[in-house]
Amino acid sequence: MLEHGGRLRAAAQRYGIPLADWLDLSTGIAPEPWPLPAIPLEAWARLPEEDDGLEAAACTCYGARHALALAGSQAAIQALPELLPAGRVGVLGLSYAEHAHAWRRAGHRLVRLDVAAIDAQLDRLDALVLANPNNPTGERFAPAQLLAWHARLQTRGGHLLVDEAFIDCTPALSVAAFSDRPGLIVLRSFGKFFGLAGVRLGFVLAEPGLLAGLRERLGPWAVSGPARALGLQALDGANAGARRRRAAELQRQGAALAELLSAHGLHPAGGCALFQWLPRLDAAALHDFLARRGILVRLFSEPASLRFGLPATEADWQRLARALADYPKETT
C-alpha cells in the first residue's frame, strides 16, 4: 500500500516518543470533530438499510441530483477504474497518489500532466482525474474550466473525475450540481471536513447508470449502520448553519496556519482551509527536526516538500510556533 499521513504509531516507534505526546499534523483532517449524536441501538443491532434518506441528505447538502454512499471516497477511488474501459488517463504529477495507483492497477495507461499541459493533452485522453483543491498543493480549478474540459472529453465518450475531498470550505468551487451529466464523476469525503475520518463515509455523485454499476460492484451494506446514522445527522438541512460556521472557522484557521509558517520564513506555496503545502530543499531535515519534538507533518520526496495540517488547541499552536522558531538555531 502507498504511504499516507496519520501513521502515528510508526512515528512513535521510530522516534521513541509515546503516542500521547505527539502533535499529529500529518493529515488534512479538521482538528475538532463534529459533535457526535446519540446513535440509535438499532443502527448497531440491525443490518444497514439503504432507504434511510442518507443519499437524499447528501444530494441536498452538496447540490447534486444523485448520490451513492460508500465507506469513504477511497472505496470509489479503487473501484471506479474497474468500471471503465482501459484507456489513457491524465493525472497530475503531484496529487493524491491513490488515484494514479488505482487507474494503473486496473490496466489504464497513465499520462502524467502539469496543469499547463491539460489543454494540449486533453483530446488524447479517455479520462482526466483532478482533485479540487488539489492535495497536497492546494491548486484550485474554476468550475467553468472543469465543465469545459468535461464537455470536450464527453464528445468522445470520455470521463472527468473530480475529487472534492477538501472542497467543503469553498463550496462555490464544486461541480456537484452538474454531476448528473454523463461522464462527470464527483467524489465527496465526509471525514475530513467533519473531523471524523474514522467513520469511513464518502459519496459518489454521478449519473444513475454509473452509480448502479458501482453499487453492484461494492455489494450490499457498504456503509455501516452507525456511519449512516451519523452522516444523516451531520448532513441534515437543520445543521446547514452549523456547517457554514464550521467552514468559516476552518478557513480562518487555514489562513492563520499560513501566517504562522510565513512568520518563521516558511512560506507556503499553496494550501486550503485544512492544510498548507511547503516545498523546501530541506524538507526531510525539517520533518525530522519536528518529529524529534513529537510533531508529525507529512513529508513528500518529489518534489521535496511538507504538508502541515491544523493544530487543534491553543497549546498545540504554541507548541508548533516554538518548534518553528527553534529550527533556524539548529541549522546555523
Side-chain angles (χ1 to χ4, degrees):
M1 290 187 291
L2 300 180
E3 187 78 13
H4 294 285
R7 299 185 68 241
L8 195 58
R9 292 183 185 277
Q13 289 182 341
R14 177 180 177 184
Y15 288 93
I17 300 173
L19 277 173
D21 295 340
W22 282 86
L23 171 56
D24 186 4
L25 306 179
S26 67
T27 67
I29 297 169
E32 182 181 358
W34 183 263
L36 294 176
I39 303 295
L41 179 60
E42 55 266 27
W44 300 96
R46 295 174 56 85
L47 287 171
E49 298 190 39
E50 296 183 352
D51 57 353
D52 58 0
L54 176 59
E55 278 87 357
C59 285
T60 300
C61 181
Y62 300 139
R65 292 188 62 186
H66 311 286
L68 174 65
L70 30 64
S73 52
Q74 178 62 36
I77 290 171
Q78 293 179 212
L80 283 167
E82 302 282 352
L83 293 179
L84 302 179
R88 290 168 53 90
V89 179
V91 295
L92 293 185
L94 181 58
S95 190
Y96 183 55
E98 290 287 351
H99 285 292
H101 183 61
W103 289 90
R104 183 189 298 109
R105 185 176 55 196
H108 298 267
R109 180 181 173 187
L110 294 188
V111 180
R112 298 281 186 177
L113 301 169
D114 58 31
V115 174
I118 292 177
D119 266 321
Q121 293 288 331
L122 192 67
D123 294 331
R124 293 190 283 272
L125 299 178
D126 299 294
L128 175 64
V129 179
L130 297 172
N132 191 30
N134 189 41
N135 173 25
T137 66
E139 189 150 20
R140 304 176 186 197
F141 300 92
Q145 178 64 82
L146 293 172
L147 294 174
W149 285 337
H150 164 257
R152 286 171 59 186
L153 287 162
Q154 182 55 26
T155 59
R156 297 177 291 104
H159 291 78
L160 173 65
L161 188 152
V162 184
D163 185 347
E164 295 185 344
F166 291 98
I167 211 167
D168 295 76
C169 294
T170 50
L173 292 175
S174 176
V175 291
F178 308 96
S179 58
D180 59 323
R181 297 182 180 181
L184 180 58
I185 307 167
V186 177
L187 307 185
R188 294 298 288 255
S189 171
F190 178 86
K192 295 177 178 64
F193 175 73
F194 289 101
L196 296 169
V199 171
R200 306 311 306 134
L201 178 62
F203 299 91
V204 180
L205 316 176
E207 53 90 12
L210 184 141
L211 294 183
L214 183 56
R215 187 190 302 272
E216 179 70 19
R217 176 169 290 273
L218 295 174
W221 315 303
V223 178
S224 73
R228 297 187 73 93
L230 202 160
L232 264 170
Q233 186 270 350
L235 297 174
D236 189 271
N239 285 316
R243 292 194 298 269
R244 286 194 295 271
R245 290 190 293 274
R246 167 173 280 253
E249 174 59 18
L250 289 171
Q251 287 274 55
R252 185 195 68 78
Q253 292 183 36
L257 179 58
E259 291 173 6
L260 175 63
L261 292 168
S262 296
H264 291 88
L266 306 172
H267 302 283
C272 65
L274 291 174
F275 62 80
Q276 295 296 318
W277 181 59
L278 183 67
R280 285 181 67 90
L281 294 177
D282 64 344
L286 178 52
H287 176 271
D288 181 69
F289 174 85
L290 294 171
R292 285 186 277 114
R293 284 152 182 77
I295 301 174
L296 185 62
V297 297
R298 180 68 193 280
L299 174 65
F300 297 89
S301 58
E302 292 294 336
S305 54
L306 298 171
R307 188 188 65 194
F308 287 73
L310 296 176
T313 67
E314 182 59 30
D316 292 340
W317 282 91
Q318 294 300 323
R319 181 177 173 183
L320 176 61
R322 288 193 300 270
L324 296 178
D326 287 343
Y327 181 62
K329 303 172 186 176
E330 179 157 304
T331 57
T332 56

